[in-house]
Amino acid sequence: MNIYLPELDRRKTQTALEAVFEKYRIYKTITFMDREVSVTASYTDRPHGPTNLISDSTARTAIYNVDAPAARAAYCDTVDSIVSRLNEREQLLIRERYLKQDDVFDYKIYNHVFDPPVSKDTYMKIRARAFYKMALALADLGWMKLDDLYKKAAVK
């Protein structure tokens, strides 16, 4: 068993986490549209004999209308709980830069949101630590594969 933490590629990790954050923002901002049941009969060619299928479009629609919003809420709650386990500066960075709006830039965060403002290098270190912790947490949940995020060994 390896007791050391894995070394992850920063760019791959950032790309993977930004996809998670994008999905989070979409789920938070785009409202869920309920599906409607079609009551018009449709004519389809059906083979003779039992198909062993039961078609209940009303039940399928009702299940979707309940399960889809619940899955969206569970996704957002999971991301929120992972972010809440980070330290204060990392939480501030992730929430302000990635979870609230699409058009926020890094320089706005490290110059205007952090109090006192931090340098770009410090900001990058805080972000790298936060991404690393989040990648490990999401890998534990099965949302990411760490094998895809490992650094490749330099070929000599």
Side-chain angles (χ1 to χ4, degrees), residues 14-43:
Q14 181 173 352
T15 303
L17 283 169
E18 284 177 350
V20 169
F21 298 143
E22 179 71 22
K23 187 174 179 181
Y24 175 93
R25 281 194 310 271
I26 288 171
Y27 282 176
K28 283 287 193 177
T29 57
I30 306 296
T31 59
F32 176 76
M33 299 296 290
D34 287 338
R35 287 187 180 169
E36 297 289 328
V37 179
S38 173
V39 291
T40 306
S42 62
Y43 296 99

Short mmCIF file of all heavy atoms in Angstrom, two decimals, residues 14-43:
data_model
loop_
_atom_site.label_atom_id
_atom_site.label_comp_id
_atom_site.label_asym_id
_atom_site.label_seq_id
_atom_site.Cartn_x
_atom_site.Cartn_y
_atom_site.Cartn_z
N GLN A 14 -7.33 20.60 -13.10
CA GLN A 14 -8.10 21.83 -13.25
C GLN A 14 -9.21 21.66 -14.30
O GLN A 14 -10.35 22.08 -14.08
CB GLN A 14 -7.19 22.99 -13.64
CG GLN A 14 -7.94 24.31 -13.78
CD GLN A 14 -7.02 25.49 -14.01
OE1 GLN A 14 -5.80 25.37 -13.92
NE2 GLN A 14 -7.60 26.63 -14.30
N THR A 15 -8.90 21.03 -15.40
CA THR A 15 -9.89 20.81 -16.45
C THR A 15 -11.05 19.94 -15.94
O THR A 15 -12.22 20.24 -16.18
CB THR A 15 -9.23 20.14 -17.68
OG1 THR A 15 -8.17 20.97 -18.13
CG2 THR A 15 -10.23 19.93 -18.79
N ALA A 16 -10.71 18.88 -15.22
CA ALA A 16 -11.75 17.99 -14.70
C ALA A 16 -12.63 18.69 -13.67
O ALA A 16 -13.86 18.55 -13.69
CB ALA A 16 -11.10 16.75 -14.08
N LEU A 17 -12.01 19.46 -12.79
CA LEU A 17 -12.79 20.16 -11.76
C LEU A 17 -13.61 21.30 -12.35
O LEU A 17 -14.73 21.56 -11.89
CB LEU A 17 -11.88 20.67 -10.66
CG LEU A 17 -11.42 19.60 -9.68
CD1 LEU A 17 -10.33 20.11 -8.78
CD2 LEU A 17 -12.58 19.09 -8.87
N GLU A 18 -13.09 21.98 -13.35
CA GLU A 18 -13.88 23.03 -13.98
C GLU A 18 -15.12 22.47 -14.66
O GLU A 18 -16.15 23.12 -14.71
CB GLU A 18 -13.02 23.83 -14.96
CG GLU A 18 -12.08 24.79 -14.24
CD GLU A 18 -11.16 25.56 -15.16
OE1 GLU A 18 -11.09 25.23 -16.37
OE2 GLU A 18 -10.52 26.50 -14.66
N ALA A 19 -15.05 21.24 -15.15
CA ALA A 19 -16.24 20.58 -15.71
C ALA A 19 -17.27 20.32 -14.61
O ALA A 19 -18.47 20.50 -14.82
CB ALA A 19 -15.85 19.28 -16.40
N VAL A 20 -16.80 19.91 -13.43
CA VAL A 20 -17.70 19.69 -12.29
C VAL A 20 -18.35 21.01 -11.89
O VAL A 20 -19.57 21.08 -11.66
CB VAL A 20 -16.93 19.08 -11.09
CG1 VAL A 20 -17.76 19.10 -9.83
CG2 VAL A 20 -16.48 17.67 -11.42
N PHE A 21 -17.56 22.08 -11.83
CA PHE A 21 -18.10 23.39 -11.45
C PHE A 21 -19.07 23.93 -12.49
O PHE A 21 -20.06 24.57 -12.15
CB PHE A 21 -16.97 24.39 -11.22
CG PHE A 21 -16.03 24.03 -10.10
CD1 PHE A 21 -14.68 24.28 -10.21
CD2 PHE A 21 -16.50 23.41 -8.95
CE1 PHE A 21 -13.82 23.95 -9.18
CE2 PHE A 21 -15.64 23.08 -7.92
CZ PHE A 21 -14.30 23.34 -8.04
N GLU A 22 -18.81 23.68 -13.76
CA GLU A 22 -19.71 24.14 -14.83
C GLU A 22 -21.07 23.45 -14.70
O GLU A 22 -22.12 24.09 -14.81
CB GLU A 22 -19.09 23.84 -16.19
CG GLU A 22 -19.94 24.25 -17.37
CD GLU A 22 -20.04 25.76 -17.55
OE1 GLU A 22 -19.16 26.48 -17.05
OE2 GLU A 22 -21.01 26.21 -18.19
N LYS A 23 -21.04 22.16 -14.46
CA LYS A 23 -22.29 21.42 -14.27
C LYS A 23 -23.03 21.94 -13.04
O LYS A 23 -24.25 22.10 -13.07
CB LYS A 23 -21.96 19.93 -14.12
CG LYS A 23 -23.15 19.02 -14.09
CD LYS A 23 -22.71 17.57 -14.09
CE LYS A 23 -23.86 16.61 -14.04
NZ LYS A 23 -23.42 15.21 -14.01
N TYR A 24 -22.30 22.24 -11.97
CA TYR A 24 -22.89 22.80 -10.75
C TYR A 24 -23.59 24.12 -11.06
O TYR A 24 -24.74 24.34 -10.67
CB TYR A 24 -21.80 23.01 -9.71
CG TYR A 24 -22.25 23.69 -8.44
CD1 TYR A 24 -22.66 22.93 -7.35
CD2 TYR A 24 -22.25 25.07 -8.33
CE1 TYR A 24 -23.07 23.54 -6.18
CE2 TYR A 24 -22.66 25.69 -7.16
CZ TYR A 24 -23.07 24.92 -6.09
OH TYR A 24 -23.48 25.53 -4.93
N ARG A 25 -22.90 25.02 -11.77
CA ARG A 25 -23.50 26.33 -12.10
C ARG A 25 -24.73 26.18 -12.97
O ARG A 25 -25.72 26.88 -12.80
CB ARG A 25 -22.47 27.23 -12.78
CG ARG A 25 -21.50 27.88 -11.86
CD ARG A 25 -20.74 29.00 -12.52
NE ARG A 25 -20.14 28.65 -13.79
CZ ARG A 25 -18.93 28.13 -13.95
NH1 ARG A 25 -18.17 27.91 -12.90
NH2 ARG A 25 -18.46 27.86 -15.14
N ILE A 26 -24.68 25.25 -13.91
CA ILE A 26 -25.84 25.02 -14.78
C ILE A 26 -27.01 24.51 -13.95
O ILE A 26 -28.14 24.99 -14.10
CB ILE A 26 -25.48 24.03 -15.91
CG1 ILE A 26 -24.55 24.71 -16.91
CG2 ILE A 26 -26.73 23.49 -16.59
CD1 ILE A 26 -23.96 23.78 -17.94
N TYR A 27 -26.76 23.56 -13.08
CA TYR A 27 -27.84 23.03 -12.24
C TYR A 27 -28.42 24.09 -11.33
O TYR A 27 -29.61 24.10 -11.04
CB TYR A 27 -27.35 21.85 -11.41
CG TYR A 27 -27.25 20.54 -12.16
CD1 TYR A 27 -26.76 19.41 -11.55
CD2 TYR A 27 -27.64 20.44 -13.48
CE1 TYR A 27 -26.66 18.21 -12.22
CE2 TYR A 27 -27.55 19.24 -14.17
CZ TYR A 27 -27.06 18.14 -13.53
OH TYR A 27 -26.98 16.95 -14.19
N LYS A 28 -27.58 25.01 -10.84
CA LYS A 28 -28.05 26.06 -9.94
C LYS A 28 -28.81 27.16 -10.66
O LYS A 28 -29.71 27.76 -10.09
CB LYS A 28 -26.88 26.68 -9.17
CG LYS A 28 -26.35 25.84 -8.04
CD LYS A 28 -27.33 25.85 -6.90
CE LYS A 28 -26.68 25.29 -5.65
NZ LYS A 28 -27.54 25.34 -4.50
N THR A 29 -28.42 27.47 -11.89
CA THR A 29 -29.01 28.63 -12.56
C THR A 29 -30.12 28.30 -13.55
O THR A 29 -31.02 29.10 -13.73
CB THR A 29 -27.92 29.43 -13.31
OG1 THR A 29 -27.27 28.58 -14.24
CG2 THR A 29 -26.91 30.00 -12.34
N ILE A 30 -30.06 27.16 -14.19
CA ILE A 30 -31.06 26.79 -15.18
C ILE A 30 -32.19 26.05 -14.47
O ILE A 30 -31.96 25.06 -13.79
CB ILE A 30 -30.47 25.90 -16.29
CG1 ILE A 30 -29.25 26.54 -16.93
CG2 ILE A 30 -31.53 25.55 -17.32
CD1 ILE A 30 -29.53 27.83 -17.64
N THR A 31 -33.39 26.55 -14.63
CA THR A 31 -34.53 25.91 -13.96
C THR A 31 -34.89 24.60 -14.65
O THR A 31 -34.73 24.44 -15.85
CB THR A 31 -35.76 26.84 -13.94
OG1 THR A 31 -36.10 27.16 -15.29
CG2 THR A 31 -35.48 28.10 -13.17
N PHE A 32 -35.42 23.71 -13.87
CA PHE A 32 -35.83 22.41 -14.37
C PHE A 32 -37.20 22.54 -15.02
O PHE A 32 -38.11 23.15 -14.46
CB PHE A 32 -35.88 21.40 -13.22
CG PHE A 32 -36.38 20.06 -13.63
CD1 PHE A 32 -35.57 19.20 -14.35
CD2 PHE A 32 -37.67 19.65 -13.35
CE1 PHE A 32 -36.03 17.96 -14.75
CE2 PHE A 32 -38.13 18.42 -13.75
CZ PHE A 32 -37.32 17.57 -14.45
N MET A 33 -37.34 21.98 -16.18
CA MET A 33 -38.62 22.01 -16.89
C MET A 33 -39.27 20.64 -16.77
O MET A 33 -38.70 19.64 -17.20
CB MET A 33 -38.40 22.36 -18.37
CG MET A 33 -37.77 23.72 -18.59
SD MET A 33 -38.78 25.08 -18.03
CE MET A 33 -40.08 25.03 -19.20
N ASP A 34 -40.48 20.63 -16.21
CA ASP A 34 -41.22 19.37 -16.09
C ASP A 34 -41.60 18.86 -17.48
O ASP A 34 -41.91 19.64 -18.38
CB ASP A 34 -42.49 19.57 -15.28
CG ASP A 34 -42.22 19.76 -13.81
OD1 ASP A 34 -41.15 19.33 -13.34
OD2 ASP A 34 -43.10 20.32 -13.12
N ARG A 35 -41.59 17.55 -17.60
CA ARG A 35 -42.06 16.95 -18.85
C ARG A 35 -43.58 16.79 -18.77
O ARG A 35 -44.14 16.57 -17.70
CB ARG A 35 -41.43 15.57 -19.05
CG ARG A 35 -39.99 15.64 -19.44
CD ARG A 35 -39.48 14.26 -19.79
NE ARG A 35 -38.08 14.32 -20.18
CZ ARG A 35 -37.33 13.26 -20.32
NH1 ARG A 35 -37.81 12.05 -20.12
NH2 ARG A 35 -36.07 13.38 -20.66
N GLU A 36 -44.20 16.88 -19.90
CA GLU A 36 -45.64 16.71 -19.99
C GLU A 36 -45.94 15.35 -20.59
O GLU A 36 -45.18 14.84 -21.42
CB GLU A 36 -46.26 17.80 -20.87
CG GLU A 36 -46.09 19.20 -20.32
CD GLU A 36 -46.94 19.45 -19.09
OE1 GLU A 36 -48.04 18.88 -18.98
OE2 GLU A 36 -46.48 20.22 -18.23
N VAL A 37 -47.07 14.79 -20.20
CA VAL A 37 -47.48 13.50 -20.72
C VAL A 37 -48.18 13.70 -22.05
O VAL A 37 -49.01 14.59 -22.19
CB VAL A 37 -48.43 12.79 -19.73
CG1 VAL A 37 -48.88 11.46 -20.27
CG2 VAL A 37 -47.76 12.62 -18.39
N SER A 38 -47.84 12.87 -23.01
CA SER A 38 -48.50 12.92 -24.30
C SER A 38 -49.79 12.11 -24.22
O SER A 38 -49.79 10.94 -23.85
CB SER A 38 -47.59 12.32 -25.37
OG SER A 38 -48.28 12.23 -26.59
N VAL A 39 -50.90 12.75 -24.54
CA VAL A 39 -52.18 12.05 -24.46
C VAL A 39 -52.71 11.66 -25.83
O VAL A 39 -53.73 11.02 -25.94
CB VAL A 39 -53.24 12.92 -23.73
CG1 VAL A 39 -52.89 13.06 -22.27
CG2 VAL A 39 -53.40 14.25 -24.39
N THR A 40 -51.99 12.04 -26.86
CA THR A 40 -52.39 11.68 -28.22
C THR A 40 -51.86 10.29 -28.53
O THR A 40 -50.70 9.98 -28.30
CB THR A 40 -51.81 12.68 -29.23
OG1 THR A 40 -52.18 13.99 -28.84
CG2 THR A 40 -52.29 12.38 -30.63
N ALA A 41 -52.73 9.47 -29.04
CA ALA A 41 -52.34 8.11 -29.38
C ALA A 41 -51.41 8.13 -30.58
O ALA A 41 -51.59 8.91 -31.51
CB ALA A 41 -53.56 7.27 -29.70
N SER A 42 -50.41 7.29 -30.52
CA SER A 42 -49.51 7.17 -31.67
C SER A 42 -49.62 5.75 -32.20
O SER A 42 -49.72 4.78 -31.44
CB SER A 42 -48.07 7.48 -31.26
OG SER A 42 -47.64 6.55 -30.30
N TYR A 43 -49.62 5.65 -33.50
CA TYR A 43 -49.77 4.36 -34.12
C TYR A 43 -48.40 3.82 -34.49
O TYR A 43 -47.63 4.46 -35.19
CB TYR A 43 -50.66 4.48 -35.37
CG TYR A 43 -52.05 4.92 -35.01
CD1 TYR A 43 -52.44 6.24 -35.14
CD2 TYR A 43 -52.95 4.01 -34.49
CE1 TYR A 43 -53.70 6.64 -34.78
CE2 TYR A 43 -54.22 4.40 -34.13
CZ TYR A 43 -54.59 5.72 -34.28
OH TYR A 43 -55.85 6.10 -33.92
#
